[in-house]
Amino acid sequence: MAGEDLHRALHLTPLPAPLPMQFGRVDAAGWVALAEAALQGGGRLIALWGAAMSGGDSKLANLANVANLVSAAYALPSGLVWVDLALGTDETYPDLAAHFPAATRMQRAVADLCGLHAAGASDRRPWLDHGTWTATLPLRDSAARAGDSAAARGDAGEGDPYAFVRVEGDGVHEIPVGPVHAGIIEPGHFRFSVVGEKVLRLEERLGYVHKGIERRFTELPALGAHLLAGRVSGDSTVAYAWAYCMALESALGVEVPERASWLRALMLERERVANHLGDLGALGNDAALAIGLAHFSRLREDWQRASHEVFGHRFMMDAVVPGGAARDIGAPQLVQLHAQCEAIEGELATLRAIYDSHAGLQDRFIGTGVVTPELARRLGLTGLAGRASGQDADLRRDHPWPPYHRLQVRPAGSQQGDVAARVALRFDEIVESLRLIRALLTGMPAGAVRADLSMPDTPRAGEARGAGWIEGWRGEVLVALVLRDGAIARCHCHDPSWQNWPVLEHAVIGNIVPDFPLINKSFNLSYSGHDL
């Protein structure tokens, strides 16, 4: 279905936003038709989420005059398309996993959170529910519903084993790892099926850091919920806060001052550089090059200290606020940050020469954890990891929002798809981010840094919606926001880790067990942003 035909068939209407976004309400046939059109047109499923209401006076229960609904967002060549499928009192909807494999876990999460199920789905095991949600569903309006217990849904109860897929055969053994790990990393369980040290299969079990963020959003004032958004995944605090603020500003029809947009982009690129520096050090260390960890840790520490000095926080948390930025920066700080870019670029070139010429390091990197471009396309690999496997997508270039429309971003890319490619991509992205940061510093416009977003004493009645779509350092971050009478009725945050965690299971097949930490780190996916 062509773009214009799809627009007419689904009755899509534009959303006010700095990126091209459309919204529509569909029936079951339209739900499937959009998935098919997206698949055929080179689109990607970004997110799938739900809302379940039991009636009464809930903010959610009156939303679009429906009780239950599921939503999906797609990235199409023309931009973002967000659709709602009203289910009424029904609790099933068409399965999308056949079109987009990444939908499988999202649909399982919808079942756990809302009690809504994908009809005919092949995998109905619980995902976020670890057998402790026997009395309630976190995103259902009522405290409890008869028949929605874990036992009634056919899920594992507390203490019952999760139904991992078993691999059987001569010499096959299972190695369970986690969810508690050494060090300070977040919890996740990894079940390896191996022959000797060769991995035949990996199955992940996540959800250990579910925090009830979607429910919590509905309990916060719209002008204060950016604080929660910035804590969805701490290493992407700027991306999430900006996405939330973009959604809120779009819903309220507020125009952000130009200087504020430039300050936000400056912070977003600094966030990208900080994470890539940390990863390059950790990847060197995982391949026994401890000096790499030492030098990249030093560079990252200096980088974050400068962020604290200029923006008030090492991670720039709470520096992006509704209407703009929390603080301005002066001319001396512009000069300071520019000089830091010059200094770090020289050291980066030296360290890259060491990494590229180190035979032991390259032996561990090259050919390890390969995800071919074809596999990446079929599974929906996105962001940094996707670009390293031939998936040429970057919102900063494809749908540039202010100020990126003036910066001409040049995304890095590779067809190689192994650890070496993901390492090289990080080096390339740092260099490009340093160029962008210098352009932002030298071209910073004058003016205000924050618009007035004060809510009226009498909130506007009815429904308003907005979406925020940001290219974070890991990939595209989405925040879909619905306001009802000025209050948050729904707010869904989506991390690119939802797409990429399942691909990690494929990347490790055929590798040896000791290479898993290296492969895993080369993806560096978020637990917190996934589990919400």
Side-chain angles (χ1 to χ4, degrees):
M1 187 180 294
E4 292 184 3
D5 293 337
L6 181 68
H7 183 282
R8 286 192 294 268
L10 301 180
H11 306 291
L12 299 175
T13 58
L15 288 174
L19 289 78
M21 301 184 192
Q22 295 177 308
F23 170 76
R25 294 187 173 94
V26 299
D27 57 14
W31 177 262
V32 176
L34 177 57
E36 292 175 346
L39 185 63
Q40 294 170 5
R44 306 185 311 278
L45 174 68
I46 300 177
L48 189 156
W49 66 101
M53 289 71 70
S54 59
D57 297 325
S58 165
K59 294 180 294 182
L60 293 173
N62 295 317
L63 194 63
N65 298 314
V66 299
N68 298 328
L69 61 84
V70 287
S71 303
Y74 294 90
L76 303 179
S78 59
L80 178 87
V81 172
W82 165 11
V83 294
D84 282 353
L85 169 60
L87 304 178
T89 58
D90 195 1
E91 295 185 349
T92 62
Y93 58 94
D95 177 23
L96 295 185
H99 300 87
F100 296 98
T104 298
R105 291 181 180 178
M106 300 180 206
Q107 292 175 165
R108 290 166 65 186
V110 169
D112 288 347
L113 295 169
C114 306
L116 307 177
H117 300 273
S122 60
D123 191 347
R124 293 190 59 173
R125 294 174 296 170
W127 183 241
L128 298 178
D129 183 358
H130 286 251
T132 60
W133 301 353
T134 56
T136 186
L137 295 163
L139 293 185
R140 188 170 288 280
D141 183 51
S142 59
R145 286 181 76 249
D148 270 335
S149 68
R153 299 198 314 272
D155 302 342
E158 186 173 4
D160 292 340
Y162 179 75
F164 286 99
V165 175
R166 299 296 299 271
V167 177
E168 298 180 347
D170 292 341
V172 177
H173 300 276
E174 282 190 349
I175 303 176
V177 178
V180 179
H181 303 273
I184 58 172
I185 65 174
E186 295 175 278
H189 183 85
F190 302 94
R191 184 68 59 97
F192 296 88
S193 298
V194 303
V195 171
E197 287 196 331
K198 184 177 180 179
V199 178
L200 300 180
R201 177 183 172 85
L202 166 63
E203 188 171 1
E204 302 156 353
R205 180 76 168 113
L206 304 178
Y208 295 92
V209 285
H210 174 73
K211 303 167 288 297
I213 281 179
E214 284 197 59
R215 186 74 181 194
R216 181 61 179 144
F217 268 116
T218 66
E219 301 164 350
L220 295 175
L223 291 183
H226 66 287
L227 302 176
L228 179 60
R231 287 157 177 80
V232 165
S233 186
D235 60 10
S236 301
T237 181
V238 174
Y240 273 103
W242 193 349
Y244 175 82
C245 290
M246 181 188 291
L248 180 64
E249 291 151 3
S250 299
L252 298 180
V254 173
E255 185 174 348
V256 177
E258 186 181 18
R259 185 176 178 90
S261 294
W262 285 64
L263 289 171
R264 288 177 173 183
L266 173 61
M267 289 185 274
L268 187 69
E269 295 308 316
R270 288 191 63 87
E271 181 170 83
R272 192 181 315 276
V273 170
N275 282 289
H276 287 342
L277 290 174
D279 281 356
L280 287 170
L283 284 160
N285 191 60
D286 281 349
L289 188 68
I291 193 173
L293 175 63
H295 281 291
F296 277 110
S297 296
R298 171 180 57 84
L299 293 176
R300 185 171 188 257
E301 177 64 21
D302 290 343
W303 191 259
Q304 290 184 299
R305 287 184 181 184
S307 293
H308 181 271
E309 182 179 345
V310 174
F311 295 106
H313 194 283
R314 289 168 58 85
F315 293 95
M316 299 165 289
M317 192 167 282
D318 305 335
V320 176
V321 297
R327 62 167 69 186
D328 202 354
I329 60 176
Q333 294 169 316
L334 294 174
V335 173
Q336 172 193 352
L337 296 182
H338 197 287
Q340 188 181 39
C341 289
E342 298 294 331
I344 202 170
E345 191 164 32
E347 292 207 56
L348 187 72
T350 300
L351 287 167
R352 183 167 195 172
I354 293 173
Y355 271 48
D356 289 346
S357 62
H358 194 285
L361 203 66
Q362 292 302 310
D363 182 63
R364 293 290 305 280
F365 287 174
I366 295 175
T368 301
V370 175
V371 179
T372 65
E374 173 58 22
L375 181 62
R377 183 193 62 78
R378 286 194 289 113
L379 297 182
L381 189 65
T382 189
L384 163 74
R387 289 190 288 274
S389 291
Q391 307 310 295
D392 183 24
D394 189 316
L395 289 179
R396 298 173 301 165
R397 178 205 59 197
D398 301 338
H399 301 293
W401 68 100
Y404 287 105
H405 65 305
R406 295 188 179 180
L407 299 177
Q408 297 182 330
V409 176
R410 301 188 291 262
S414 172
Q415 299 288 318
Q416 194 171 321
D418 57 3
V419 171
R422 294 186 282 275
V423 169
L425 201 74
R426 283 173 166 84
F427 278 110
D428 292 338
E429 289 204 349
I430 292 176
V431 172
E432 176 64 4
S433 287
L434 293 175
R435 183 188 73 82
L436 295 174
I437 289 170
R438 287 193 290 263
L440 289 162
L441 293 169
T442 56
M444 184 76 63
V449 299
R450 190 171 186 180
D452 180 18
L453 251 76
S454 57
M455 300 292 285
D457 294 335
T458 304
R460 181 174 58 181
E463 176 185 309
R465 70 180 62 236
W469 197 20
I470 296 292
E471 187 72 37
W473 74 270
R474 188 178 277 117
E476 53 194 342
V477 165
L478 174 71
V479 173
L481 174 69
V482 177
L483 301 178
R484 182 76 180 179
D485 299 336
I488 297 176
R490 297 165 63 201
C491 185
H492 177 73
C493 297
H494 184 86
D495 194 272
S497 298
W498 275 99
Q499 273 80 359
N500 293 356
W501 273 118
V503 185
L504 178 63
E505 294 182 341
H506 293 263
V508 74
I509 293 174
N511 292 265
I512 60 174
V513 175
D515 276 342
F516 173 70
L518 188 62
I519 299 169
N520 187 22
K521 189 62 182 177
S522 72
F523 280 78
N524 193 0
L525 305 178
S526 174
Y527 297 82
S528 181
H530 171 279
D531 294 352
L532 290 185

